[in-house]
Amino acid sequence: AQSVTQLGSHVSVSEGALVLLRCNYSSSVPPYLFWYVQYPNQGLQLLLKYTTGATLVKGINGFEAEFKKSETSFHLTKPSAHMSDAAEYFCAVRDTGGGNKLTFGTGTQLKVEL
Amino acid sequence: GAVVSQHPSRVICKSGTSVKIECRSLDFQATTMFWYRQFPKQSLMLMATSNEGSKATYEQGVEKDKFLINHASLTLSTLTVTSAHPEDSSFYICSARGGRNEAFFGQGTRLTVV
């Protein structure tokens, strides 16, 4: 079984400040890890993913995430927040054992203030 | 990235009627499609997984006779909410996966049953 925990259902940052959204996972096999962004009344857009190889993954819109196996974490960061980053962010895990299912965290609402 | 089109984006229907939601992969062949349900301010809950030409696999607690899924071709899956009731009101999102083993999401459908 696999699960995802996103600490903090709401995060508020000032424009230009560092964005840090936390994600911890549990999985019985090495996982694939994903971050998605959702704008109101829209579907999900993939920000980045980790499958194998380099543990620091760069995605779209200046976001990046680092897979830390020892901490079972995959936190999402962006050096400088922009107003357009305000959205809901979901961390997800999929096992590498041939399963197809994505398991999502409960999401983090990011608010960016002037 | 690949495009998944979901239609309609919004639908209001009367209690007792049925509603069909379409999910199309526009520029790739989707061997597997997923249907999710999202309640307000909550995460996505997987309802079912469908592979082209075979019956859908439903998650525990999802009524297969109420949520009919058809995956008739490699580019189209449909979800029909039968005899809809107000408690079926929700945001439904489809996801399609092709040969690259990456899932792409539709824009979602806001269903309101009155």
Side-chain angles (χ1 to χ4, degrees):
Chain A
Q2 52 199 21
S3 65
V4 178
T5 301
Q6 288 183 244
L7 292 176
S9 59
H10 292 82
V11 170
S12 184
V13 300
S14 299
E15 190 175 34
L18 171 72
V19 175
L20 170 61
L21 304 183
R22 299 179 185 275
C23 173
N24 288 86
Y25 70 91
S26 69
S27 177
S28 57
V29 296
Y32 292 153
L33 295 159
F34 306 81
W35 274 100
Y36 289 90
V37 61
Q38 184 182 33
Y39 296 98
N41 292 311
Q42 294 188 29
L44 274 66
Q45 181 181 6
L46 180 66
L47 279 176
L48 48 80
K49 63 180 178 181
Y50 169 79
T51 53
T52 58
T55 55
L56 181 61
V57 181
K58 295 187 184 298
I60 62 172
N61 301 339
F63 284 94
E64 60 183 38
E66 186 171 10
F67 170 56
K68 292 187 176 181
K69 184 178 179 180
S70 61
E71 299 177 7
T72 61
S73 69
F74 191 57
H75 302 329
L76 181 71
T77 61
K78 182 174 180 177
S80 177
H82 192 273
M83 295 296 289
S84 61
D85 295 326
E88 185 88 19
Y89 291 81
F90 291 96
C91 181
V93 61
R94 178 162 69 90
D95 72 63
T96 58
N100 280 317
K101 292 193 287 188
L102 278 171
T103 300
F104 287 88
T106 49
T108 298
Q109 182 71 45
L110 176 65
K111 183 178 180 181
V112 182
E113 299 174 321
L114 288 172
Chain B
V3 179
V4 174
S5 177
Q6 192 172 335
H7 178 81
S9 58
R10 291 177 179 271
V11 58
I12 301 174
C13 71
K14 291 185 177 180
S15 187
T17 62
S18 295
V19 174
K20 180 182 284 188
I21 302 170
E22 291 188 349
C23 180
R24 293 180 184 273
S25 56
L26 298 186
D27 51 2
F28 68 102
Q29 293 184 324
T31 52
T32 306
M33 286 192 173
F34 307 87
W35 287 95
Y36 296 85
R37 183 174 181 175
Q38 186 180 30
F39 291 100
K41 301 188 185 300
Q42 294 189 29
S43 189
L44 283 74
M45 301 301 295
L46 180 65
M47 299 174 65
T49 303
S50 73
N51 294 296
E52 185 266 338
S54 62
K55 290 184 178 180
T57 301
Y58 290 80
E59 295 299 301
Q60 192 172 11
V62 178
E63 298 177 63
K64 62 180 181 180
D65 294 330
K66 179 153 188 72
F67 299 99
L68 300 178
I69 291 172
N70 184 281
H71 192 163
S73 75
L74 285 172
T75 60
L76 174 65
S77 176
T78 60
L79 167 68
T80 302
V81 183
T82 63
S83 186
H85 288 91
E87 57 266 29
D88 299 324
S89 298
S90 192
F91 194 57
Y92 293 87
I93 304 176
C94 72
S95 168
R97 175 178 296 142
R100 288 170 52 194
N101 213 22
E102 181 176 330
F104 298 93
F105 286 80
Q107 309 95 313
T109 298
R110 173 74 59 192
L111 170 64
T112 303
V113 184
V114 297

